[in-house]
Amino acid sequence: MRVVFNKQSLNKALEVLNRVVDKRSALPQLGWIKVASINGYSQLQGTDLEKYLTVRVPSSTESAGEVCVAMREFAKLVKGKEREVLLWEEGDKLVVEVGSVRSKLSMGSVEKFPEFPVPTYNAVFSTKLLRDAIEKVGFAAATKDDYRDRLKCVFMDGEGNGVNFVSSDGYRLAFLRVDVPFDMKLKFPQGGLKVLLELLKREKADEVKLGRSEDFVFVAGGDWELALRVLEWEYPDYKAVVPSEFKTRVL
């Protein structure tokens, strides 16, 4: 592999990948990122086995290939004022050239890098509406590891002619109704909300893709894909505690 990156674009991708990679894990491969270079762009991936993030970055590829390197060491090397970062393989090392500085990193085994779930997408949704809804109700999601584990998420409950966003920790409940057509039911785990919000804030497209499988919920923007692991269970009946009408209005 031999590839040239714009340093600013590469660092933006590493900033969000840093929120996903588990640099303290006993499994060394969870501290890696995988860089796969293809014609016109490169794909960077990182995971902690609960969050799986893929980011595509424009690049000039002289020869295609894929490598795995430690996220922490790689991110340190590509910082600086220079505009370009050049990568190439030299034996069992990855050479990183930034301006006049040339460094070598040990490479991990691509075969040992965790396998990513295959995404399936079933719908599209407004980027702004999704971001605003999660920001408004996400504060109420449970965070403690106890019997309220099933509440550690934001629940997106599509009802056909509208969608409800709900979160609760068992003591308080946040509820938001958005009157847009949507008929899927998705759970966004509390552990992935910060990463998802960061990606939605950066997204320039008006809509993102949404999907789910038995074990994951998928969200994709123009140059990124995020898979969040979810447990298969029914969200509690939140409608039982949401009043059907309000007799008092405060201005």
Side-chain angles (χ1 to χ4, degrees):
M1 182 183 78
R2 187 177 179 89
V3 58
V4 180
F5 287 96
N6 173 276
K7 186 180 69 64
Q8 184 177 11
S9 298
L10 179 59
N11 277 318
K12 284 183 177 180
L14 293 175
E15 282 176 8
V16 67
L17 279 164
N18 190 52
R19 295 174 176 264
V20 173
V21 174
D22 188 353
K23 297 176 286 296
R24 298 180 180 180
S25 173
L27 298 174
Q29 56 266 44
L30 297 187
W32 301 345
I33 59 169
K34 184 167 87 168
V35 182
S37 182
I38 310 170
N39 290 333
Y41 72 95
S42 292
Q43 180 173 276
L44 280 65
Q45 293 182 310
T47 180
D48 61 3
L49 301 183
E50 297 296 324
K51 303 179 289 291
Y52 294 75
L53 177 60
T54 300
V55 182
R56 290 176 291 276
V57 181
S59 63
S60 176
T61 304
E62 297 179 21
S63 62
E66 55 184 18
V67 299
C68 289
V69 291
M71 169 73 183
R72 188 192 300 271
E73 286 74 12
F74 182 65
K76 288 180 180 179
L77 292 179
V78 299
K79 290 182 178 180
K81 297 180 180 180
E82 291 75 12
R83 294 184 178 181
E84 292 185 342
V85 176
L86 175 61
L87 307 179
W88 73 90
E89 295 175 76
E90 192 173 280
D92 61 349
K93 302 290 184 180
L94 179 68
V95 182
V96 182
E97 185 175 287
V98 184
S100 60
V101 179
R102 184 178 296 180
S103 308
K104 293 184 179 182
L105 290 176
S106 297
M107 294 189 294
S109 169
V110 173
E111 289 73 23
K112 292 183 179 179
F113 191 73
E115 185 177 353
F116 271 47
V118 178
T120 57
Y121 297 104
N122 314 99
V124 295
F125 199 81
S126 165
T127 303
K128 185 178 185 303
L129 282 180
L130 182 60
R131 182 190 69 221
D132 290 349
I134 292 176
E135 285 182 331
K136 288 178 179 178
V137 306
F139 73 92
T143 57
K144 295 182 179 179
D145 294 321
D146 55 19
Y147 69 93
R148 294 186 294 272
D149 278 359
R150 65 174 53 194
L151 295 176
K152 294 169 66 175
C153 69
V154 170
F155 182 41
M156 185 178 183
D157 185 14
E159 297 184 318
N161 60 347
V163 55
N164 300 326
F165 289 87
V166 188
S167 68
S168 175
D169 59 4
Y171 299 99
R172 57 187 180 177
L173 182 144
F175 174 92
L176 175 68
R177 171 78 176 183
V178 180
D179 292 321
V180 296
F182 194 76
D183 58 8
M184 291 182 65
K185 299 182 185 299
L186 302 172
K187 297 185 288 286
F188 300 105
Q190 195 274 342
L193 291 182
K194 289 184 179 180
V195 175
L196 177 55
L197 282 174
E198 179 65 26
L199 291 166
L200 292 173
K201 289 177 181 178
R202 297 182 179 204
E203 181 57 40
K204 297 179 180 179
D206 293 334
E207 293 181 326
V208 292
K209 296 187 293 184
L210 299 175
R212 69 177 185 184
S213 65
E214 184 176 349
D215 300 311
F216 292 94
V217 60
F218 302 101
V219 189
D223 59 4
W224 55 269
E225 289 185 326
L226 178 66
L228 301 173
R229 188 182 298 276
V230 294
L231 298 177
E232 189 58 34
W233 39 255
E234 293 294 329
Y235 197 81
D237 183 12
Y238 65 92
K239 292 181 181 179
V241 296
V242 177
S244 58
E245 61 178 346
F246 296 87
K247 297 180 179 180
T248 305
R249 181 181 296 272
V250 178
L251 300 178

